[in-house]
């Protein structure tokens, strides 16, 4: 009779922990079910911190009436965790940006390992010893001085702290989308940012591709205001950002035939639909949109009788129009072969719109018949006769 070896759940869990740290994805680890000799110790909470510009792990020992904190370098921290399981703790719960894992031990030390992935993108926490800690962009980058984010000494200007957080959140979202996309870093990556404004995010994604990932990023910022285009092109030339250019126009007048990444943050009303259509038509593997205004659908919606008492209030009617419009956009993207997420993004300056539609092209085609049926049923329920994105896609024969 052959005996099947039991899986080494301890080693697998430590590997997951190490991988989350290496990928800058670690959020928190909680060790519970303490079985050691310290009577009042309840649990151990471990989080990332930065101490004297070095990444560390903060161990917070939670007792019944007090907390004791110890900071360890990453390697020493991982080694300590490995020793604590299962000798001192019988339960470990790991949370990262991309995974969740739980290691449990029975009274007889039989182990079980459970793993899952989040339905929505998680946000990385701030490091306790450095609230402005970032993982994707360094404050020393020269373009941040030119754009007024940092001063001459490369220190963050206090009034730009919100913008600095936005830039890093944007790069975080893009980084995870890039990891799950079919794009390869050994080939040129063509990016278009529609409505690029002063170029904060356009410069940031170009810098991230070129300097962090060492990829050949070819980034185009598209903006209607000529003064902004001139300012950004001047800065790009002076700072020697090869492969970064800004053009005057919008998504209808500047439409690249081939793209890898399409970005459109806060394009108003149907401009978002034109941007998504451009991304799909040009074969973009990643589409990132933060919609603004939802006038087209709001004017068409006829509220079902049951919902009229709730939707007699303008605020609720507007929220419904936003939800229906963006749900249809996400479904159309799904029907065109994208895996789509809709989640709250950080609020951008001068607006409270903080929703993002993130679409990543699937490796395999999907059967969109059922999706199209759901779309038509949703349109019929609200008496919607036209959705701009659907009209554009059907004109190009992209929906069948």
């Amino acid at each position: 009779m052959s005996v099947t070896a039991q899986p080494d759940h301890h080693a697998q869990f430590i590997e997951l922990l190490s991988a989350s740290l290496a990928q800058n994805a670690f959020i928190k680890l909680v060790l519970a079910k303490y079985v050691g000799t310290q009577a009042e110790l309840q649990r151990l909470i471990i989080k990332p911190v930065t101490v004297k510009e070095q990444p560390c792990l903060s161990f917070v020992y939670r007792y019944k009436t007090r907390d004791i904190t110890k900071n360890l370098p990453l390697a020493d921290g991982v080694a300590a965790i490995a020793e604590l399981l299962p000798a001192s703790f019988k339960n470990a719960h790991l949370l990262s940006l991309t995974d969740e894992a739980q290691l449990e031990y029975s009274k007889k030390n039989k182990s079980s390992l459970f793993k899952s992935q989040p339905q929505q993108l998680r946000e990385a926490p701030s490091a306790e010893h450095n609230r402005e800690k970032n993982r994707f962009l360094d404050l020393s980058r020269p373009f941040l001085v030119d754009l007024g984010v940092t001063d001459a000494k490369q220190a963050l200007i206090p009034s730009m702290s919100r913008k600095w957080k936005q830039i890093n959140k944007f790069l975080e979202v893009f980084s995870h989308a890039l990891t799950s996309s079919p794009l390869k870093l050994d080939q040129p990556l063509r990016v278009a940012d529609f409505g690029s404004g002063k170029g904060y995010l356009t410069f940031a994604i170009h810098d991230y591709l070129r300097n962090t990932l060492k990829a050949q990023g070819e980034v185009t910022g598209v903006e209607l205001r000529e003064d902004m285009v001139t300012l950004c092109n001047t800065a790009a030339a002076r700072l020697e950002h090869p492969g970064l250019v800004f053009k005057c126009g919008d998504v209808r007048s500047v439409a690249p035939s081939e793209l890898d990444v399409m970005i459109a943050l806060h394009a108003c009303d149907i401009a978002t639909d034109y941007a998504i259509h451009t991304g799909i038509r040009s074969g973009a593997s990643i589409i990132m949109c933060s919609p603004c205004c939802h006038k087209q659908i709001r004017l068409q919606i006829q509220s079902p009788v049951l919902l009229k008492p709730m939707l007699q209030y303008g605020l609720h009617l507007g929220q419904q129009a936003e939800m229906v419009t963006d749900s249809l956009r996400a479904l159309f993207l799904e029907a065109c072969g994208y895996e789509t997420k809709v989640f709250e993004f950080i609020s951008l300056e001068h607006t409270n719109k903080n929703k993002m539609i993130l679409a990543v092209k699937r490796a395999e085609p999907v059967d969109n018949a059922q999706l199209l049926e759901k779309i038509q049923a949703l349109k019929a329920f609200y008496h919607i006769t036209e959705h701009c994105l659907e009209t554009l896609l059907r004109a190009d024969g992209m929906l069948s």
Side-chain angles (χ1 to χ4, degrees):
M1 179 182 295
S2 61
V3 178
T4 303
Q6 294 296 315
D8 190 347
H9 291 143
H10 181 276
Q12 292 176 21
F13 186 82
I14 298 301
E15 285 178 7
L16 287 171
L17 170 63
S18 300
S20 71
L21 289 167
Q23 297 165 7
N24 293 320
F26 176 72
I27 295 177
K28 181 172 68 172
L29 172 63
V30 178
L31 304 186
K33 293 187 178 179
Y34 179 67
V35 293
T37 58
Q38 300 184 54
E40 293 190 346
L41 180 59
Q42 297 177 335
R43 64 183 57 201
L44 174 57
I45 303 169
I46 302 160
K47 294 182 179 181
V49 295
T50 299
V51 180
K52 297 182 180 179
E53 299 185 355
Q54 294 299 319
C56 295
L57 290 177
S58 174
F59 284 61
V60 179
Y61 294 82
R62 182 145 294 170
Y63 292 83
K64 189 174 182 179
T65 58
R66 70 191 192 282
D67 287 350
I68 295 178
T69 301
K70 296 179 181 179
N71 296 323
L72 296 176
L74 295 184
D76 293 345
V78 172
I81 293 165
E83 291 181 3
L84 290 169
L85 295 169
S88 299
F89 294 92
K90 298 293 187 181
N91 181 283
H93 188 185
L94 171 65
L95 195 66
S96 76
L97 292 173
T98 56
D99 295 286
E100 188 168 349
Q102 188 159 326
L103 177 64
E104 292 184 351
Y105 290 91
S106 67
K107 292 181 178 179
K108 295 183 179 180
N109 264 2
K110 183 178 180 180
S111 63
S112 300
L113 180 61
F114 306 94
K115 294 185 289 184
S116 63
Q117 293 183 329
Q119 295 298 311
Q120 294 184 337
L121 189 70
R122 297 190 179 110
E123 182 174 354
S126 299
E128 293 178 21
H129 284 220
N130 184 359
R131 292 294 179 181
E132 290 301 328
K133 178 176 181 287
N134 71 88
R135 301 181 185 277
F136 299 96
L137 185 64
D138 196 281
L139 277 171
S140 65
R141 300 307 300 156
F143 77 88
L144 293 171
V145 178
D146 274 57
L147 298 183
V149 178
T150 57
D151 59 22
K153 295 182 180 179
Q154 298 178 330
L156 180 65
I157 295 173
S159 62
M160 296 301 292
S161 60
R162 185 180 177 189
K163 177 61 68 178
W164 174 240
K165 185 177 180 181
Q166 294 163 11
I167 293 170
N168 279 282
K169 179 62 179 180
F170 170 78
L171 290 179
E172 178 189 326
V173 173
F174 172 72
S175 174
H176 291 293
L178 187 61
T179 301
S180 60
S181 79
L183 296 174
K184 300 184 182 302
L185 296 181
D186 58 354
Q187 300 174 356
L189 293 181
R190 298 155 298 186
V191 181
D193 179 12
F194 294 101
S196 55
K198 198 174 178 180
Y200 296 110
L201 301 183
T202 325
F203 271 91
I205 197 169
H206 179 269
D207 185 89
Y208 180 68
L209 288 171
R210 290 268 179 162
N211 294 300
T212 302
L213 300 182
K214 307 301 180 184
Q216 187 179 340
E218 302 292 336
V219 182
T220 301
V222 181
E223 170 60 42
L224 278 170
R225 294 169 290 179
E226 290 188 13
D227 58 334
M228 291 290 98
V229 174
T230 301
L231 182 149
C232 291
N233 275 327
T234 301
R238 182 175 60 256
L239 297 170
E240 297 183 356
H241 275 249
L244 175 61
V245 64
F246 291 82
K247 297 182 179 180
C248 189
D250 61 14
V251 70
R252 303 190 201 191
S253 60
V254 182
S257 58
E258 293 184 349
L259 275 179
D260 297 305
V261 181
M262 196 291 299
I263 302 165
L265 302 189
H266 293 183
C268 188
D269 197 24
I270 62 173
T272 293
D273 297 307
Y274 277 91
I276 294 174
H277 172 249
T278 295
I280 296 172
R281 186 182 60 190
S282 60
S285 292
I286 298 174
I287 293 175
M288 302 174 71
C289 289
S290 183
C292 179
C293 309
H294 301 77
K295 299 175 184 177
Q296 186 198 32
I297 297 302
R298 180 167 181 169
L299 294 173
Q300 296 181 56
I301 285 180
Q302 296 181 30
S303 303
V305 175
L306 181 63
L307 301 182
K308 281 186 176 180
M310 178 179 69
L311 299 176
Q312 64 179 311
Y313 307 105
L315 174 64
H316 291 168
L317 189 61
Q319 289 172 338
Q320 177 189 238
E322 177 181 334
M323 183 171 60
V324 173
T325 303
D326 293 332
S327 294
L328 287 171
R329 285 167 173 161
L331 288 169
F332 284 126
L333 280 161
E334 292 276 358
C336 289
Y338 290 82
E339 181 177 352
T340 308
K341 295 180 180 179
V342 181
F343 55 93
E344 286 190 349
F345 183 55
I346 191 168
S347 298
L348 295 184
E349 201 170 8
H350 308 308
T351 181
N352 60 357
K353 302 292 183 180
N354 65 346
K355 182 189 295 183
M356 175 168 282
I357 300 174
L358 175 65
V360 178
K361 185 176 287 186
R362 297 178 183 273
E364 301 294 334
V366 297
D367 181 4
N368 63 8
Q370 289 186 342
L371 282 168
L372 293 177
E373 287 181 5
K374 292 178 181 178
I375 289 169
Q376 295 310 315
L378 187 57
K379 287 174 60 184
F381 182 77
Y382 285 104
H383 301 276
I384 296 170
T385 57
E386 181 186 4
H387 190 293
C388 181
L389 179 56
E390 180 180 20
T391 301
L392 294 169
L393 293 172
R394 289 196 182 280
D396 282 348
M398 296 180 183
L399 292 178
S400 56

